[in-house]
Amino acid sequence: MEALHFLGDGFSIALQWHNIAFAFFGVLIGTAVGVLPGIGPMSGVALLIPVTATITSGLDPQSAAASSIILLAGVYYGAMYGGSTTSILLNTPGESSSVVTVLDGYQMAKKGRAGAALSIAAIGSFVAGIVSLIGLVLLAEPLSNIALEFGPAEYFSLMLLGLCAVSGLAGSSMTKALMMTVVGLLMATIGIDSVSGVSRFTYDNPNLYSGLEFLTIAVGLFALGEVFKTILEKDNGDGDIIKVKKILPTKQDLKDSAAPITRGSLLGFFIGVLPGAGATLASFFSYIMEKKISKDPKKFGQGAIEGVAAPESANNAASGGALIPLLTLGIPGSGTTAILMGALIMYDVQPGPLLFDDHPEVAWGLIASMFIGNVMLLVLNMPLVKVFSKIIETPKKYLLPIIIAISIFGVYAVQNTMFDLLLLLACGAAGYFLAKHDFPLAPLVLGLVLGPMIENNMRRALTGSDGDFMIFLQSPISLIFLIFALLWILIPVVLKMRGKNVITNEEG
């Protein structure tokens, strides 16, 4: 009942006119971001951080933090909604979690049922969003209370688990993912050490004394990285767009998709809670499960409505579930939540167990705004399906200058230094080359965000134990986290080696 009382307080914040406007613009921009192939929620959220900082500059710090995170979270789950549009109409996923939707969504569109597929995707996303938010309300307070018992050793091990989880599941190569994690951690050490006051890796450059600005790195890697990719690879994104005719699904469509939406929502939520698992994994698992339990598995891949309903529900539920470790433990569950965490820290709001005590306005305001945002998305997506499908036709020659302008003006407005603009361009070039050679960017961002906290907690723990590293193994909770972190890295390696041995034996 206490959670409901706090949620009521959250609604009093979320229903303020400016926060309703922020939620609306967030979900609207998020849907457009999801619809445009290649941009994705990570790039969209990173791109809008400087915009929100400028818009909320006149508000007091708490209100500015709440309003900014409401808008950015709206972009996050709005992009999850919008990602299905290109999958269904263009056979091109708007972002990675919509890859599975391509399999049956595009086949439905080719049969003249694009409207039904888009509507079921929107309904499934709405149901999943509400399910994940109910889970968030019920679990947020108990989890944060448990986490309050953690000491520096437990926090260090928990953050190490978060890094291993994202590194173990990002990209096709774990080696590359771990390399990017280490690069992120190394970048986090740049600046003046808060304990000793010694400057590290600054090379007597005053611009580096305060460290590398998260905002500049994130916008450069994701937003400008996509711009470089489009220009250098002459990716115009042209394709045959299927026209949307009838929008509303039939009664049979609703009946066939009801159970897959429910199963996808629950499965997606619990997968989303796991740090590093993310929406892409949830959508794949959901699709595989529906195919396994179906009486007619052969219809999957031929335009089955279940093949759209289940993964679209799962990826939206996972995006809500990923906020639980972020808000309660201070551990981002995905690349996008790592960027959201960086945005919160920019406003001096530390995600974690104390968030609900120190900044209830931000935490509960965000949760309440997501209920409102999900309703807005359903209202927007159902009647405006045809309008959003037109966004796909936006020529890149108009889109790219807008992204470049927002990136440069946004970063300069917040940082106000030429050094950060040069760093922005350098990160854009680096983002392009890293993505081109299949180096995942999410572990780098996570390493940059978690690096200072990992270091501080390790040093606090070692100070308390007089430099004895056994403190990380003597605490049962810390030991469990470290074992899980090790298993998260080792199990995929063992399975990969096993697979290679099986193939070698078969060939032999």
Side-chain angles (χ1 to χ4, degrees), residues 31-40 79-99 101-103 105-107 109 114 118 121 237 239-242 244 312 381 385 388-394 396:
T31 306
V33 161
V35 163
L36 292 165
I39 296 181
M80 292 295 176
Y81 265 67
S84 61
T85 307
T86 45
S87 298
I88 292 165
L89 298 180
L90 270 182
N91 201 28
T92 306
E95 26 86 28
S96 59
S97 60
S98 295
V99 169
T101 311
V102 167
L103 302 175
Y106 188 63
Q107 294 301 321
L118 288 165
D240 295 326
I241 300 165
I242 292 168
V244 180
E312 278 302 308
N381 275 262
V385 159
F388 283 121
S389 66
K390 289 285 182 187
I391 294 173
I392 300 169
E393 300 171 40
T394 305
K396 291 283 174 77

Side-chain angles (χ1 to χ4, degrees), residues 354-393:
L354 292 172
L355 175 68
F356 289 85
D357 290 333
D358 295 348
H359 307 282
E361 181 182 334
V362 176
W364 289 105
L366 168 63
I367 294 169
S369 77
M370 289 176 72
F371 279 101
I372 297 164
N374 269 282
V375 175
M376 285 177 177
L377 277 168
L378 187 67
V379 172
L380 274 172
N381 275 262
M382 291 296 282
L384 298 180
V385 159
K386 290 183 180 180
V387 176
F388 283 121
S389 66
K390 289 285 182 187
I391 294 173
I392 300 169
E393 300 171 40

Side-chain angles (χ1 to χ4, degrees), residues 474-486:
Q474 287 165 355
S475 161
I477 297 172
S478 175
L479 181 62
I480 289 167
F481 286 148
L482 289 174
I483 290 168
F484 272 116
L486 195 64

Side-chain angles (χ1 to χ4, degrees), residues 8 44 89 105 111 153 167 183 202 205 232 242 309 318 329 361 363 365 380 386 394 405 409 425 428 431 468 500:
L89 298 180
K111 293 175 181 177
S167 300
V183 169
T202 57
N205 185 338
L232 294 173
I242 292 168
L329 304 173
E361 181 182 334
L380 274 172
K386 290 183 180 180
T394 305
F409 289 128
L425 292 172
D468 185 4
K500 283 181 180 176

Side-chain angles (χ1 to χ4, degrees), residues 99-355:
V99 169
V100 190
T101 311
V102 167
L103 302 175
D104 284 278
Y106 188 63
Q107 294 301 321
M108 283 184 70
K110 287 207 294 188
K111 293 175 181 177
R113 304 192 64 228
L118 288 165
S119 295
I120 287 297
I123 293 166
S125 297
F126 172 75
V127 172
I130 298 300
V131 167
S132 67
L133 283 169
I134 291 168
L136 184 57
V137 169
L138 296 176
L139 293 176
E141 199 72 19
L143 266 177
S144 62
N145 289 334
I146 293 168
L148 280 170
E149 304 300 318
F150 289 5
E154 288 84 1
Y155 261 116
F156 168 80
S157 301
L158 177 64
M159 288 172 184
L160 209 61
L161 170 61
L163 277 181
C164 291
V166 171
S167 300
L169 290 165
S172 56
S173 167
M174 186 186 288
T175 307
K176 288 180 177 179
L178 289 171
M179 285 169 66
M180 296 303 286
T181 305
V182 172
V183 169
L185 290 171
L186 289 172
M187 289 169 72
T189 62
I190 295 171
I192 294 177
D193 178 21
S194 57
V195 176
S196 64
V198 175
S199 61
R200 304 184 296 189
F201 309 111
T202 57
Y203 306 102
D204 295 325
N205 185 338
N207 291 301
L208 292 173
Y209 287 163
S210 58
L212 294 177
E213 180 57 42
F214 160 80
L215 168 67
T216 309
I217 303 292
V219 174
L221 286 175
F222 294 106
L224 279 194
E226 283 298 328
V227 170
F228 279 118
K229 179 186 173 185
T230 306
I231 294 169
L232 294 173
E233 297 184 4
K234 295 181 172 61
D235 177 20
N236 294 318
D238 295 329
D240 295 326
I241 300 165
I242 292 168
K243 299 297 179 188
V244 180
K245 295 170 186 173
K246 187 186 174 187
I247 294 171
L248 293 175
T250 62
K251 284 184 180 178
Q252 189 61 42
D253 287 335
L254 292 169
K255 186 180 176 184
D256 291 341
S257 56
I261 285 172
T262 306
R263 286 190 290 264
S265 300
L266 294 171
L267 180 70
F269 173 73
F270 288 111
I271 289 174
V273 171
L274 297 171
T280 305
L281 200 68
S283 61
F284 271 100
F285 278 1
S286 178
Y287 187 85
I288 292 164
M289 183 176 75
E290 288 305 318
K291 196 171 180 179
K292 288 280 184 190
I293 65 176
S294 174
K295 293 177 182 176
D296 183 17
K298 289 181 181 178
K299 69 181 178 181
F300 283 82
Q302 307 296 319
I305 194 88
E306 297 92 334
V308 174
E312 278 302 308
S313 302
N315 73 35
N316 276 273
S319 67
L323 288 172
I324 288 182
L326 171 69
L327 297 178
T328 61
L329 304 173
I331 298 293
S334 64
T336 314
T337 48
I339 292 171
L340 286 173
M341 182 175 179
L344 282 168
I345 293 169
M346 269 180 60
Y347 288 97
D348 293 324
V349 175
Q350 179 63 59
L354 292 172
L355 175 68

